[in-house]
Amino acid sequence: MNAKVWLIGAGPGDPELLTLKAVRALGEAEVVLIDDLVNPLILEHCPQARVIAVGKRGGCRSTPQAFIQRLMLRYARQGRCVARLKGGDPCIFGRGGEEAAWLQDHGIDVELVNGITAGLAGATQCGIPLTLRGVSRGVTLVTAHTQDDSPLNWQALAQGGTTLVVYMGVSKLDEVRQGLLEGGMSTDTPVAMIENASLPQQREQRTTLASMTEDAASFELCSPAILVIGEVAGHQAAGLIQLTA
Ligand code: SAH
């Protein structure tokens, strides 16, 4: 039997948002590598496993990616059942794709297990539907932070007509605002900034594209946070008032 690594999405934080499949895989794991932003409460599903923290907030300051990959390979080649737990979904800004390919190139079977991505959970927790008939016919997930600092196609994002969900944007708020304004997005486009989505310490701030940088500063927005940009970020607030009135 080939060695196998599970790449598992741990969801946005709330341990109840874990999938049953993730729970099963964790129950079988002998070694669990736990990434940044994974709620440690999730480890209750793998009391039998050796747990290794490999994220920036997990103990080591920043475990190099190559080291993490070699660690997974070493344990898998020893015949151990390895699970790598990542925040949200492993393939949404989570390096799941590159890790899976690398492991497969080294003869290891990989099973990816979906998790609920932070953008989806954050919006839902705040009552924002990312798509809404007649308002938003799509969603674009985008990272504000790229490896090579290459610019986003702001014009396409501004004019695409979909809800934008921006990950890793806290330190790039001004860039996001500028890019979208220059790309033609309206200054009064609603924006929701959602910090620690699905956790007890979740906070949200509604604003507009024009005011988002100033409002984030007075709100003291901190990472991890997502931005939801588009009509739906304002629409649901009104919808909720109607529903409860
Ligand atoms: N794979 C993850 C994303 C990892 S990138 C996923 O699918 O969710 C890290 C970014 O995700 C953070 O900078 C932040 O933008 C977002 N993020 C992760 N967890 C979050 C949370 N609980 N609340 C808000 N944003 C979160």
Side-chain angles (χ1 to χ4, degrees):
M1 204 182 86
N2 274 352
K4 180 167 161 181
V5 173
W6 297 82
L7 297 178
I8 303 173
D14 177 352
E16 286 194 321
L17 290 177
L18 207 57
T19 65
L20 293 175
K21 194 165 187 174
V23 170
R24 178 170 64 81
L26 284 171
E28 289 174 19
E30 294 168 274
V31 180
V32 173
L33 278 71
I34 179 167
D35 215 345
D36 275 359
L37 298 175
V38 172
N39 188 339
L41 291 176
I42 283 166
L43 297 174
E44 75 166 274
H45 299 294
C46 54
Q48 77 291 347
R50 172 166 182 206
V51 176
I52 305 172
V54 292
K56 289 180 194 119
R57 299 158 204 231
C60 337
R61 246 194 90 60
S62 177
T63 315
Q65 181 67 18
F67 176 81
I68 298 171
Q69 292 179 183
R70 282 201 301 275
L71 206 59
M72 288 191 284
L73 184 62
R74 195 174 84 205
Y75 284 119
R77 282 186 172 158
Q78 287 171 3
R80 314 261 195 110
C81 179
V82 181
R84 168 108 156 97
L85 260 183
K86 291 166 170 288
D89 185 89
C91 292
I92 301 292
F93 310 124
R95 297 193 169 186
E98 62 192 78
E99 288 181 13
W102 188 87
L103 288 164
Q104 281 161 350
D105 284 349
H106 288 78
I108 307 293
D109 287 345
V110 175
E111 186 149 355
L112 285 155
V113 180
N114 281 122
I116 296 181
T117 190
L120 184 55
T124 303
Q125 298 297 319
C126 295
I128 299 169
L130 291 177
T131 68
L132 189 62
R133 272 198 302 164
V135 180
S136 169
R137 60 196 307 176
V139 191
T140 305
L141 307 184
V142 66
T143 173
H145 191 92
T146 53
Q147 202 176 12
D148 56 1
D149 265 335
S150 54
L152 287 161
N153 184 342
W154 292 113
Q155 199 173 354
L157 292 171
Q159 295 178 16
T162 64
T163 303
L164 300 183
V165 180
V166 181
Y167 289 67
M168 291 176 264
V170 173
S171 62
K172 304 262 182 186
L173 290 172
D174 217 37
E175 212 171 286
V176 172
R177 181 179 68 166
Q178 267 315 104
L180 291 174
L181 287 175
E182 283 168 21
M185 192 178 266
S186 160
T187 50
D188 59 4
T189 305
V191 175
M193 306 186 279
I194 305 154
E195 182 186 289
N196 283 313
S198 85
L199 288 162
Q201 64 271 34
Q202 172 177 306
R203 298 194 307 147
E204 75 172 281
Q205 169 76 30
R206 308 277 179 137
T207 178
T208 61
L209 187 58
S211 315
M212 64 184 243
T213 317
E214 293 74 22
D215 284 352
S218 48
F219 184 67
E220 298 181 359
L221 184 72
C222 288
S223 183
I226 50 127
L227 313 173
V228 179
I229 305 176
E231 289 309 315
V232 291
H235 185 95
Q236 180 66 4
L240 276 179
I241 291 162
Q242 272 170 17
L243 281 174
T244 51

